[in-house]
Amino acid sequence: MFSKILIANRGEIALRVIRSAKELGLRTVAVYSEPDKDALHTILADEKICIGPGKASESYLNIPNILSAAEITKADAIHPGYGFLAENPRFSEICESSGITFIGPPPSIIQLMGDKNRAIQEMQRVNLPVIPGSNKLVEDLSEAKKIAQKIGYPIILKATAGGGGKGMRIASSARQLEEQFSIAQHEAKAAFGNPSLYMEKFFQNAHHIEVQVIGDKNGNVLAFCERECSIQRRHQKVIEETPSPFMDEKSRTKLMKSVQAAARAINYQSLGTFEFLVDEKKNFYFMEANTRVQVEHPITEIIYGIDLIKEQIQVAAGEQLSFSNNMKWKGHSIECRINAEDYKTFIPSPGKIEFLILPGGEGIRTDSAAYTGWNIPPDYDSLIAKIIARAPTREEAIKKMLTAIEMTTVVGVKTNIPLHLSILSNSDFIKGQYNIQFLDKFIAELKPTKK
Ligand code: MV4
C-alpha cells in the first residue's frame, strides 16, 4: 500500500479523496493554485504545494509542476479526481514512467475510451449493443449524407476526441446536415485538436443511464446498479438518482451483466462508468465510457454502503476488490448539484460566500469544499455542494431531499436551489416520468418567452 498520495485536483473531489486516503492511514499532499490558497483541500491535506496561478492550464493542467510537487513531497501515487488531467493518457503514462502510481486505469484503457469512435467499435467487438450509427469516422459530407440516409434522420454528429456532449450537432434533414457537418468539424478541431466525427441515430426520447464499474489488477470486475442521469442541461448533469425509476429488474440485470462482461473482456481496471442511451422499450445502447470517478459516484456508494474511492486506491496498490460479485443494494438515493449560478440563465455567479449552512440529519450526505467566507474563484466550475439523500423508497428520498434543500442557506452568491426545489416538486419528476427532454422543456416553462 502507498504511504503518501498527491491529489492532482481541487474542490469537493479533492476533499473526498483526502478523506478516504486519511481513513486508509495515508499521508496526503494537496496541490493548489494561488486562488485556492485558502481552499479546504489545501487546508486539510498533510502537505500542500502551490503549482501556479488560477488559470487551469498553468496549474491544475500543468503536468511538470504537478510531477515536481510529487517528487518534492515523495508521493508514491497520484489521484487525478475528475476533469483536469483525469482522462489524459499522457499524464498517466508520465506518472508511471516516473515511478509514481496513477490511481486510475492503465494508459491503454484511457486512450481507448478517450477515442469515442474506437470505444464504440471495441464495445461492439465484445458484444455490447451500441447506438445504430456510422460505427466509423465519417470522412466528408457526401459520406455523411449516405450514412444518414441509411440510419434515418434525425442523426447526431459527435467528435471522436470529444465526449460528454461537447461538439455534438444534431441534423433532422439532409439540408441541415449540409449546414451542420462543417460546423461540427470546426468545433471539434477547435475544442479537441481533432476534427474527426462519427454519426449516430439521434434518440429523441431516450434515457441517459450509466453503470459504475470497478476492476482490480487480477481480472475481477464488478458492475453496480444503474444511475439515471437524464436531467441535464447543455450536458451538465443537475440531478442524478439510483436506481432509475424507468428501469425494471429484468432490464437492470441484463444491463449489469452485459457491462460486467464487456468490462472484463477488455480487462478494465480501476473505477469507470459506461454510459448508455435507453429507449422507450428499455433497449440499451452503449454511448461512451469515462475512465475516472464521476461527480455522482456517492449515490452508488450510499445504496451499497461502500467507499469507491478507498476501493480505487486499494486496487491501484494491487489489492483485490474487497467486495464480492453478489453485492446487494438497498433503498433509493438522489444527488442534487448545488451550483453558484443564476438558476434561469445558468450563468455562473462566483464570489464570496458570506454565510453557508449545509443540511444534515439521517440519510443526508453533503460533499462540499465550501465554507462561510470562502471566495468561489471564477476560474473553475461553480459547484458549491453535492447534496445526497438516501431513504428506503424513492418517495421518501425526494421528501428528504426537499427538506434538506429547504434548510440549506447560501448568502452572497446566486444558486440553483430554486431550480432543484421546483424539479423535486414537479409531478412528472415525482412520478418518475421523465427523460432527456425533461429539463429543457421544464426551463422553457420556467421562463416564459418574452412577449
Ligand atoms: C445522444 C442522445 C441521443 N441520441 N446520442 C451525449 C453526451 C451526453 N451528455 C448527452 N448525450 C446524448 N447523446 C444519440 N445518438 C442524447 C444525449 C443526451 C442529451 C441530448 C440533448 C439534450 C439533452 C440530453 C441529455 C442527456 C443525453
Side-chain angles (χ1 to χ4, degrees), residues 131-132 154-158 163-166 168 170 198-209 229-237 275-277 287-288 435-440:
I131 300 173
I155 56 97
I156 186 167
L157 292 164
K158 293 185 176 179
K166 289 196 288 284
M168 280 168 38
I170 297 162
Y198 60 99
M199 186 190 289
E200 294 174 338
K201 176 145 199 62
F202 182 68
F203 283 67
Q204 314 249 17
N205 301 307
H207 284 253
H208 179 133
I209 282 176
C229 302
S230 295
I231 300 192
Q232 312 181 7
R233 184 173 183 279
R234 293 199 193 140
H235 312 298
Q236 290 302 318
K237 295 166 184 162
E275 295 192 348
F276 292 83
L277 282 176
M287 188 158 54
E288 61 182 273
N435 63 27
I436 61 172
Q437 306 276 350
F438 174 84
L439 194 51
D440 284 343

Side-chain angles (χ1 to χ4, degrees), residues 259-322:
V259 170
Q260 186 171 32
R264 191 175 284 132
I266 62 168
N267 192 19
Y268 197 92
Q269 291 172 25
S270 190
L271 287 183
T273 299
F274 287 58
E275 295 192 348
F276 292 83
L277 282 176
V278 180
D279 69 14
E280 298 96 320
K281 298 193 194 71
K282 298 190 179 39
N283 301 308
F284 53 81
Y285 305 95
F286 173 80
M287 188 158 54
E288 61 182 273
N290 304 313
T291 54
R292 54 172 160 77
V293 63
Q294 300 218 202
V295 173
E296 58 272 23
H297 77 276
I299 58 175
T300 301
E301 292 186 316
I302 282 202
I303 63 167
Y304 279 94
I306 56 176
D307 181 333
L308 287 169
I309 301 287
K310 256 192 208 166
E311 283 305 315
Q312 188 187 25
I313 295 171
Q314 287 167 326
V315 300
E319 294 181 19
Q320 299 253 17
L321 282 175
S322 60

Side-chain angles (χ1 to χ4, degrees), residues 214 221-225 256 260 300-301 303-308 311 321-330:
I214 185 162
V221 180
L222 287 183
F224 297 88
C225 175
M256 287 171 69
Q260 186 171 32
T300 301
E301 292 186 316
I303 63 167
Y304 279 94
I306 56 176
D307 181 333
L308 287 169
E311 283 305 315
L321 282 175
S322 60
F323 28 73
S324 64
N325 213 346
N326 53 3
M327 296 175 54
K328 296 280 174 279
W329 49 275
K330 236 171 66 145

